[in-house]
Amino acid sequence: GGGRRAPFLLRALRIAVVVCLYWFTSIAMVFLNKYLLDSPSLRLDAPLFVTFFQCALTAALCLGLSLGAACGPPCAGLPPLRLDPKVSRSVLPLSAVFIGMVTSNNLCLKHVGVAFYNVGRSLTTVFNVLLSYLLLKQTTSLYALLACGVIIGGFWLGVDQEGAEGTLSWTGIFFGILASLCVSLNAIYTKKVLPVVDGSIWRLTFYNNVNACVLFFPLMVLLGEFRTLYHFDKLGSPSFWGMMTLGGVFGFAIGYVTGLQIKFTSPLTHNVSGTAKACAQTVLAVIYFEETKSFLWWTSNLMVLGGSFAYTWVKGLEMRKVQEDPNVKSGERNETGV
């Protein structure tokens, strides 16, 4: 018994550390990005450039740390990185989803407040259910569907309340829904593509971001962001580039920490952690931006969070049932590849 308990405690501790890391990185990144995308003091209207810069810095950091690994202990254990066009092509579908995810996330954040951002893109769970059915032919229990209903109700109430307060942005809502879809697709595709990079989150991050940089270029040209940058008055400002770099470092960290959280827990636990983090983020944002919100506005937030928790709880119970029934177990094992 004693031998098995120690690894369990160690595992629990490792999971706790990974989850805390994820929370800190994610919340810090949202506030930083809000500043870069929509700060009245900055007045930079180039959301794709902000996102492109973060991807480029992430790819550069991956490469730098990988070269560092060749030199010695601090980064030892990281696989050497080189661009293999064949692998790059295999990762491309995921990269397209990834671009959709980071861009729509940033565009949603640009148009809505940090406090509403969580409700704005709260439909990830609903899309998870939908896509699991469409792509993986997995059905969802009635209780899980009811939880999804609560989330959708909370989302609509939130949209209604933002409208009542005169702070509603339909553009923001549209990108929020798109972001939810992409986040859900991203989790599914990540699992699919990981074998191509020998299961290395590290290599996947590198390929994903290199691909993203290439794909962003024509988009930035199309949307005239280079012209915007040319006329941007703080282009020579060290503090602006400092914030951009900090945003990029957090962008790098979040990809890695998200990967770690999924790896050490499960996509499901990752969703719970994200939900709880969103709750903390909302409260922080309301305090930080000194906003006052109506009772119904808070209700919409609680519905979204409650629905997400309920969904995850139901899913957890279902998984435990599968583990306790050995007959189901072998079939399930093959299906999920665990």
Side-chain angles (χ1 to χ4, degrees):
R4 273 193 63 184
R5 184 156 311 136
F8 171 74
L9 275 172
L10 197 66
R11 258 206 342 263
L13 187 67
R14 193 165 56 186
I15 287 170
V17 169
V18 168
V19 169
C20 288
L21 254 175
Y22 169 77
W23 274 47
F24 170 73
T25 311
S26 183
I27 292 177
M29 186 176 159
V30 168
F31 277 91
L32 249 172
N33 277 350
K34 182 63 180 171
Y35 168 79
L36 290 169
L37 294 160
D38 191 40
S39 155
S41 62
L42 203 59
R43 293 196 312 278
L44 170 64
D45 186 22
L48 286 187
F49 171 71
V50 172
T51 318
F52 162 80
F53 182 83
Q54 290 175 350
C55 290
L57 195 64
T58 298
L61 280 167
C62 281
L63 201 56
L65 287 171
S66 160
L67 292 172
C71 302
C75 326
L78 297 177
L81 294 175
R82 47 169 233 288
L83 260 183
D84 179 342
K86 211 168 86 206
V87 176
S88 204
R89 266 202 307 278
S90 309
V91 177
L92 208 55
L94 174 64
S95 301
V97 170
F98 173 74
I99 278 202
M101 179 177 79
V102 288
T103 308
S104 48
N105 252 335
N106 277 352
L107 285 168
C108 173
L109 186 56
K110 182 178 168 59
H111 292 283
V112 304
V114 174
F116 184 68
Y117 177 59
N118 142 48
V119 173
R121 34 184 294 281
S122 61
L123 298 178
T124 303
T125 307
V126 180
F127 281 119
N128 281 346
V129 169
L130 211 60
L131 293 171
S132 296
Y133 179 70
L134 292 172
L135 300 177
L136 311 169
K137 299 283 171 278
Q138 290 171 354
T139 50
T140 305
S141 67
L142 178 65
Y143 288 118
L145 289 174
L146 284 174
C148 285
V150 174
I151 296 173
I152 295 171
F155 175 76
W156 273 118
L157 180 61
V159 171
D160 175 66
Q161 286 306 300
E162 282 282 304
E165 294 189 6
T167 47
L168 178 66
S169 156
W170 281 110
T171 316
I173 299 295
F174 168 75
F175 283 117
I177 295 172
L178 192 62
S180 303
L181 173 64
C182 290
V183 168
S184 187
L185 277 171
N186 191 61
I188 291 173
Y189 272 102
T190 298
K191 287 222 132 168
K192 225 176 182 167
V193 173
L194 265 174
V196 179
V197 287
D198 309 321
S200 165
I201 292 282
W202 185 251
R203 289 179 65 197
L204 187 61
T205 304
F206 177 65
Y207 275 105
N208 229 346
N209 284 281
V210 169
N211 282 352
C213 288
V214 176
L215 294 170
F216 266 126
F217 237 76
L219 288 174
M220 281 154 56
V221 174
L222 270 175
L223 290 172
E225 289 205 357
F226 289 109
R227 204 169 46 248
T228 309
L229 284 169
Y230 179 72
H231 295 295
F232 179 55
D233 58 344
K234 295 191 180 59
L235 207 56
S237 149
S239 72
F240 165 67
W241 289 107
M243 290 298 266
M244 284 289 281
T245 306
L246 200 58
V249 169
F250 275 111
F252 165 74
I254 192 69
Y256 191 64
V257 176
T258 300
L260 276 181
Q261 184 164 261
I262 292 173
K263 195 171 167 179
F264 283 125
T265 59
S266 68
L268 202 67
T269 315
H270 170 62
N271 286 348
V272 181
S273 174
T275 304
K277 182 226 57 154
C279 177
Q281 186 172 291
T282 300
V283 175
L284 274 174
V286 170
I287 295 167
Y288 178 77
F289 293 109
E290 295 173 356
E291 299 168 337
T292 37
K293 298 292 185 187
S294 67
F295 172 72
L296 280 174
W297 188 92
W298 283 109
T299 307
S300 81
N301 263 281
L302 285 173
M303 280 173 75
V304 163
L305 295 165
S308 303
F309 269 125
Y311 173 81
T312 311
W313 189 60
V314 168
K315 279 296 201 190
L317 288 178
E318 286 169 10
M319 279 164 120
R320 198 166 310 143
K321 228 180 245 158
V322 167
Q323 279 163 358
E324 280 164 10
D325 185 350
N327 303 327
V328 188
K329 199 170 176 180
S330 60
E332 280 278 322
R333 269 216 168 131
N334 299 340
E335 197 176 299
T336 48
V338 175

